[in-house]
Amino acid sequence: MNRIYITLLALLLFTGISEAQKISVHDPVVMRENNTYYLFCTGWGISVWSSPDMKEWKREQAVFSEAPQWAKEAVEGFRGHIWAPDISFYKGKYYLYYSVSAFGKNTSCIGLATNKTLDPNDPDFQWIDHGKVIQSFPGETNWNAIDPNLIVADDGTPYLTFGSFWDGLKLVKMNSEATAPAEDLNAIPTIASRKKSSKEPNPPSVDDNPKDAGGNAIEAPFIFKKGKYYYLFASIDYCCKGVNSTYKMIVGRSETIPGPYLDKNGKSLATGGGTIVLKGNEDWYGVGHNAACTFDGTDYLIFHGYDAHDNGKSKLIIKKMDWDKDGWPIAEEL
């Protein structure tokens, strides 16, 4: 081998890129249709990538070519940068929930688009936008309508979990088509928080973080069914700060979707509990905003991390997820 090849190989091994292509993403989720994996993530119009093996990725056309008109009307200044999509297959269609928000404020909405297929070469391929599903308002709702995730109970009842900062993560039962809440949004429960009680005031923000968001640093809920338990994953501390990112993943579990979700020590996530699944190390400043998926009998965690070898740039990470003897998730080492 020549010297250049050896140097490149050493660099790939050192950075971990050899195990999978480290594309730059935030908030990734993955769905497989036929033999192709489709990744959706934060980006202009919702970024989309495809892959035959979850290792080599090809960029596809964004979901939206221009910002939805309803979103521009709901969130002043919104231009089309859409956050934290969530992809599910429900009632014969692909459901793509997404977040529209002003940064650091709960001037936010969750929208929904559906499609018969994820294959852009299929003649039936067409994203149909259903518009606003949930909206939060500064000074009116002590929660933030972003980071949606759909989970369907064994009896077919759909639920949407969502939220970021403020009082914490929320859960709402949806109508049978999962297009609108079936409950009063003023009474929906908080299922995860860093506060000891919802009766406590929101803690103040720290450092240079947005004042309106406060300091209840929890977001990105994702509920995954395994055996008799529903596992609630969430991310705590701070994303989006490059080399100063401190993101970590936590988990709790419940035998029912409404909860309560308890950690390994029996503490409720609603009152500050949460067992750490993954946190940063010398290679990654922080890791978080995960999805959990099963393909061919293997469970995976799909998330982003802030690369310590690339100035804290956000990168895609996919790790296998095993389970200990007591049924708690164990992620492959970073």
Side-chain angles (χ1 to χ4, degrees):
M1 294 188 291
N2 63 45
R3 183 177 298 174
I4 294 176
Y5 181 83
I6 293 172
T7 301
L8 287 173
L9 179 60
L11 178 62
L12 289 172
L13 292 173
F14 177 70
T15 58
I17 294 176
S18 59
E19 68 182 55
Q21 182 186 2
K22 291 292 192 292
I23 58 175
S24 182
V25 304
H26 264 101
D27 318 324
V29 290
V30 173
M31 174 68 66
R32 184 173 67 181
E33 183 181 24
N34 298 324
N35 294 317
T36 301
Y37 298 88
Y38 295 93
L39 182 149
F40 300 84
C41 61
T42 291
W44 292 100
I46 306 178
S47 295
V48 184
W49 299 76
S50 66
S51 172
D53 55 10
M54 288 198 297
K55 293 182 179 180
E56 298 298 322
W57 295 93
K58 180 183 74 171
R59 186 183 288 275
E60 302 286 354
Q61 289 294 315
V63 172
F64 296 109
S65 59
E66 59 183 42
Q69 183 60 36
W70 73 263
K72 292 190 288 186
E73 295 170 358
V75 177
E76 184 178 355
F78 177 72
R79 294 186 299 159
H81 192 256
I82 299 176
W83 302 351
D86 176 72
I87 186 72
S88 299
F89 189 73
Y90 180 68
K91 290 196 170 182
K93 292 185 291 187
Y94 292 96
Y95 275 56
L96 185 70
Y97 294 93
Y98 57 91
S99 309
V100 173
S101 183
F103 185 78
K105 298 179 181 295
N106 63 338
T107 306
S108 307
C109 301
I110 293 169
L112 171 65
T114 60
N115 205 329
K116 293 181 180 179
T117 176
L118 300 180
D119 181 358
N121 297 314
D122 191 308
D124 287 332
F125 179 86
Q126 181 184 10
W127 286 108
I128 298 173
D129 189 34
H130 299 267
K132 180 175 62 181
V133 176
I134 296 174
Q135 185 168 5
S136 56
F137 302 90
E140 296 182 27
T141 53
N142 193 25
W143 42 265
N144 194 16
I146 68 169
D147 294 2
N149 172 241
L150 180 69
I151 179 69
V152 181
D154 290 340
D155 66 1
T157 302
Y159 291 82
L160 198 70
T161 182
F162 61 93
S164 173
F165 286 72
W166 279 267
D167 188 49
L169 309 183
K170 311 297 282 190
L171 179 79
V172 63
K173 184 186 297 184
M174 302 292 284
N175 65 13
S176 61
E177 297 303 313
T179 55
E183 297 180 290
D184 179 0
L185 289 174
N186 292 315
I188 57 176
T190 297
I191 59 171
S193 176
R194 305 314 288 162
K195 301 192 297 182
K196 294 181 180 179
S197 169
S198 280
K199 296 179 180 179
E200 292 183 357
N202 298 343
S205 62
V206 297
D207 300 328
D208 61 345
N209 298 306
K211 301 301 181 186
D212 289 358
N216 188 17
I218 186 169
E219 57 190 15
F222 195 99
I223 298 176
F224 179 73
K225 180 73 181 296
K226 181 73 173 180
K228 68 176 183 178
Y229 289 111
Y230 293 92
Y231 291 83
L232 171 61
F233 293 90
S235 296
I236 60 172
D237 296 334
Y238 293 93
C239 79
C240 315
K241 291 177 172 289
V243 298
N244 296 313
S245 300
T246 56
Y247 237 13
K248 304 171 185 66
M249 280 180 254
I250 62 170
V251 71
R253 68 186 185 188
S254 169
E255 292 188 19
T256 64
I257 290 176
Y261 290 87
L262 308 180
D263 66 16
K264 278 187 176 182
N265 296 320
K267 186 174 179 59
S268 173
L269 268 64
T271 55
T275 298
I276 294 288
V277 179
L278 275 177
K279 59 183 180 180
N281 58 18
E282 66 275 10
D283 295 318
W284 300 96
Y285 292 114
V287 292
H289 205 117
N290 73 282
C293 304
T294 303
F295 300 119
D296 300 323
T298 300
D299 299 326
Y300 296 90
L301 282 175
I302 299 167
F303 53 99
H304 71 258
Y306 299 94
D307 193 343
H309 303 290
D310 193 7
N311 298 314
K313 190 173 183 179
S314 179
K315 304 284 185 68
L316 172 66
I317 307 175
I318 299 176
K319 293 293 184 183
K320 290 181 181 178
M321 180 169 57
D322 292 321
W323 304 85
D324 69 16
K325 62 181 179 61
D326 297 316
W328 288 98
I330 303 171
E332 280 186 309
E333 292 185 5
L334 289 171

